[in-house]
Structures are given as structure tokens and as C-alpha cells.
């Protein structure tokens, strides 16, 4: 990976902004508080202007005027139609991605399908850095299957990354499924997904990637990598809005064999025959369960167009430059104040967010939000996550945010915050 020659100071940040090919995409989003630096686009993306218009049409015209006719005028097909658009961002050919439910529920459906496809194998391999909800889902699946499977969590020496050899050593003839987050939620560690997929297949296992923190920020090539299954959410770098529905991918040649454990009428062969027996429909739609949340699915389509127009290669290029610049500033300005880097140093192993760790992390995070106009998030025990969304985060934002963090600590402002009591959402 290239080394960058970064310089200190606001003029250098402005120069980087001047050379930024994606700078104009900032106009696509609403900035009602211009002085607030938002560093949580990896958790909830900003509101696109197009979404405001699309939402109004969906409510006033499609629901308000068309009423039930809306189902035949684009609602019924929306899970597949919007899924195709997401598929374009994930290197997935047509007919393999649908929008449905939430990430956790899609994970449940695909884990159950995968385990059924590997009878005689009783191990699920994941890692200790995975998103806890993903691990809870796995635990629930194991219980449902009568505790006949074990979950093996590959350890991490530094809490930041997983050593690929340690992971590979965990794969053998007992492994039914390998399921991991492509980009890890806390440290931003990015797996070499193609190599892991290939190695898992050599061991005869199926592979399921959670793309929550990578879709829209990091190139994903599901078909090329030979991935079996994937899930992900749309409210992070895809800017779908709070609670917008998730998606799932099942590779074409597995779709006849793979069966959802939740049988609902949207996955039925001919739902309007109202047959009393379930017959799964062909193709990816068999993984649908029930009525699409239309009001949050339709506006997603125009939000996805923005990402497609910018292009994932250019997004990744800017993301690497943004996070590398941030790491440079952390090392020169924040490490002397007791912070340490909680993310990989090599940009090739990093997604689009960077964690910094500090023993007073929770209180510093509070002061940033309450007084300093910086909005990151906090992950226990001492991680402040700084998410950089290439479509709207500028280099000047990064410079200014690090300065404000530095000030919050130097001026001991965080001491005024009570350390013990945590808010619900941090
Ligand atoms: C954000 C995220 C989720 C969220 O799951 P929901 O079911 O949408 O609440 C799951 N997994 C990963 C890896 C995530 O980053």
C-alpha cells in the first residue's frame, strides 16, 4: 500500500478537499447543523435530499392516492428491484439479492439454511470480533437444532485483527459454516474475503459474510469471490434511513437447495392461490417472509443511486485517503495525550472507520457530543469510533474533529461528566 505524505495544518486539509473528486456529493445530503462534524455515518448514514422527495411521493401519492393499487404499481417487485441495485454494489449478478427483514433475521434464515446443507458437520466458525448480535443469532440456531452444533470463535491477540493462519487452522472436516463480518464493527479490521472464502471451501464449508460495515465503503465482489451467502444492512454507508430493511444474498446455484426456516406467503410459489400447503417459490424470493416495509424500501432506491453514481472504486480511494490522514493526525496529535489506535495501521486491512482508545473514552465521547460539535460513537470498554463516510465527510472535517478531540482532553472538559451512568445508545 502507498505511503502518503501528509502535512500538518488546516491548509493541507483544504488542499486535499480541493483535489477530492467526490466533493460535490456532499451537496446530495442535508446539513441542518453545518458546524456539527458527523462521524457516525458507519452507524446511521445522513439523510439524502433525494430521499426527502422520494419519501413525500411514497407517502402522498403512492400510499395516499394509489392505496392498494400500489402493490401492482411497483411495491410487490420492490424487494427484488432494490435488491438488484444493491447487488450492483456487491458484485452480484441479477437474481441473487433481495431486500427483506433485518440483518439479524436474514442471518438467522441463512445460517439455518446453510447448516441444513451440511449434515454430518457440526461446527460453526466465527471470531471474537464479530458483532454480538450475530453471535447471539448463532447461539439461538444451535439451541433450536438441539445443541448438536458447536460455535468456535477464533481469538484475536490484540482485539483489533484476527490472524489469518489462526483462522485457517480452525477449519477442518467438521466445519459446516464460516460466518464473519467482512469489516469488524469495533476496530474496522477488513478481512481478505476472497482468500478466506476459498480456504473455507477447500475445507468443504459454506461461507456467510456480514457486509454491514463494508457495503458502500469497501469493494465487494460476491460472485467473483465465490461466496455462498451474505447479509447486510442499508442504514449505514448506504444511507437508507433508521431501521431501513436489510438484504440477503444467496448464490444462484445454491438457491434450489437452500431453504428458509421461516415459511411465509411472500416466499410461497403462488401466494394469491391461498393454498393451505407451503411450496417455496423458485429463486431468491423464497427467502422473503412477508409484507415489505414499503415506506422505508422505496426511498432507499434513490439513496442507492447516489452511491452507484459515485462508484465504489472512487469511494474506496477516498476512504483510504481519509482514514490514512486521520491515522496520521491521531498519531501526531492524540497519542501524546494518552490515546492509542484501535484499528489496523495498514489501510489494506481497514474499512472506513477508525477507533481510538482512551481510558476516559466514554467521558471524552460525551463531551465531544455535548460541547464540541463532534458526533462519533462509543463502544465499550474504551473505544471512540470515528466513521468516515466518503460521500460527505471532508478532509477539513477530519482535521477539525481531531483538533476538537485534542481540546476536549487538554482543557480537561471531560472531567465534568459523570463516568458511571451510560446512556442507552452510545
Ligand atoms: C449494524 C450491524 C448489524 C445490525 O443488525 P440489525 O439486525 O439491523 O439490528 C448486524 N451485523 C453487523 C456486522 C452490523 O454491523
Amino acid at each position: 500500500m502507498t505511503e502518503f505524505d501528509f502535512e500538518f495544518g488546516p491548509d493541507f486539509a483544504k488542499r486535499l478537499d480541493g483535489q477530492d473528486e467526490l466533493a460535490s456529493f456532499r451537496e446530495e445530503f442535508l446539513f441542518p447543523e453545518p458546524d456539527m462534524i458527523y462521524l457516525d455515518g458507519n452507524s446511521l448514514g445522513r439523510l439524502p435530499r433525494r430521499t426527502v422527495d422520494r419519501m413525500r411521493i411514497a407517502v402522498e401519492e403512492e400510499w395516499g392516492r394509489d392505496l392498494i393499487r400500489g402493490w401492482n404499481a411497483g411495491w410487490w417487485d420492490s424487494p427484488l428491484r432494490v435488491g438488484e441495485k444493491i447487488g450492483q454494489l456487491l458484485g452480484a449478478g441479477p437474481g441473487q439479492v433481495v431486500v427483506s427483514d433485518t440483518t439479524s433475521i436474514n442471518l438467522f434464515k441463512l445460517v439455518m439454511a446453510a447448516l441444513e446443507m451440511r449434515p454430518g458437520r457440526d461446527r460453526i466458525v466465527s471470531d471474537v470480533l464479530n458483532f454480538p448480535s450475530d453471535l447471539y443469532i448463532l447461539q439461538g440456531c444451535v439451541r433450536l437444532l438441539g445443541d448438536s452444533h458447536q460455535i468456535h470463535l477464533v481469538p484475536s491477540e490484540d482485539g483489533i485483527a484476527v490472524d489469518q493462519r489462526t483462522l485457517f487452522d480452525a477449519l477442518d472436516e467438521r466445519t459446516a459454516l464460516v460466518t464473519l463480518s467482512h469489516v469488524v464493527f469495533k476496530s474496522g479490521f477488513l478481512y481478505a474475503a476472497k482468500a478466506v472464502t476459498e480456504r473455507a471451501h477447500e475445507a468443504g464449508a459454506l461461507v456467510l459474510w456480514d457486509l454491514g460495515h463494508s457495503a458502500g465503503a469497501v469493494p465487494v465482489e460476491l460472485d467473483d469471490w465465490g461466496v455462498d451467502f451474505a447479509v447486510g444492512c442499508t442504514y449505514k454507508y448506504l444511507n437508507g434511513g433508521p431501521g431501513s430493511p436489510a438484504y440477503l444474498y444467496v448464490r444462484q446455484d445454491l438457491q434450489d437447495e437452500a431453504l428458509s426456516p421461516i415459511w411465509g406467503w411472500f416466499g410461497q410459489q403462488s401466494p394469491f392461490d391461498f393454498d393451505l400447503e407451503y411450496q417455496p417459490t423458485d429463486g431468491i424470493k423464497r427467502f422473503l417472509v412477508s409484507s415489505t416495509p414499503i415506506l422505508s424500501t422505496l426511498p432507499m432506491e434513490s439513496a442507492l443511486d447516489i452511491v452507484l453514481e459515485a462508484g465504489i472504486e472512487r469511494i474506496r480511494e477516498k476512504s483510504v485517503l481519509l482514514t490514512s490522514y486521520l491515522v496520521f493526525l491521531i498519531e501526531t496529535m492524540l497519542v501524546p495525550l494518552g490515546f492509542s489506535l484501535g484499528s489496523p495501521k495498514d489501510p489494506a486491512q481497514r474499512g472506513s472507520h477508525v477507533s481510538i482508545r482512551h481510558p476516559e473514552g466514554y467521558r471524552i465521547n460525551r463531551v465531544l457530543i455535548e460541547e464540541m460539535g463532534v458526533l462519533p460513537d462509543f463502544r465499550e470498554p474504551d473505544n471512540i469510533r470515528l466513521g468516515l463516510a466518503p460521500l460527505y465527510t471532508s478532509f477539513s472535517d477530519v482535521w477539525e474533529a481531531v483538533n476538537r478531540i485534542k481540546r476536549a482532553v487538554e482543557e480537561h472538559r471531560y472531567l465534568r461528566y459523570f463516568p458511571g451512568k451510560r446512556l442507552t445508545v452510545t
Side-chain angles (χ1 to χ4, degrees), residues 102-105 130-131 134 181 185 210 212-213 233 235-236:
T102 64
T103 307
S104 304
I105 292 172
N130 205 350
F131 192 61
D134 290 32
S181 289
F185 83 105
D210 188 330
H213 275 93
C233 47
Y235 47 75
K236 293 172 179 164

Side-chain angles (χ1 to χ4, degrees), residues 303-323:
L304 289 167
D305 285 337
I306 304 172
V307 185
L308 286 167
E309 284 162 27
I312 197 70
E313 297 301 332
R314 284 201 299 175
I315 289 175
R316 173 63 176 165
E317 209 176 301
K318 179 173 173 187
S319 161
V320 165
L321 200 57
L322 276 170
T323 58

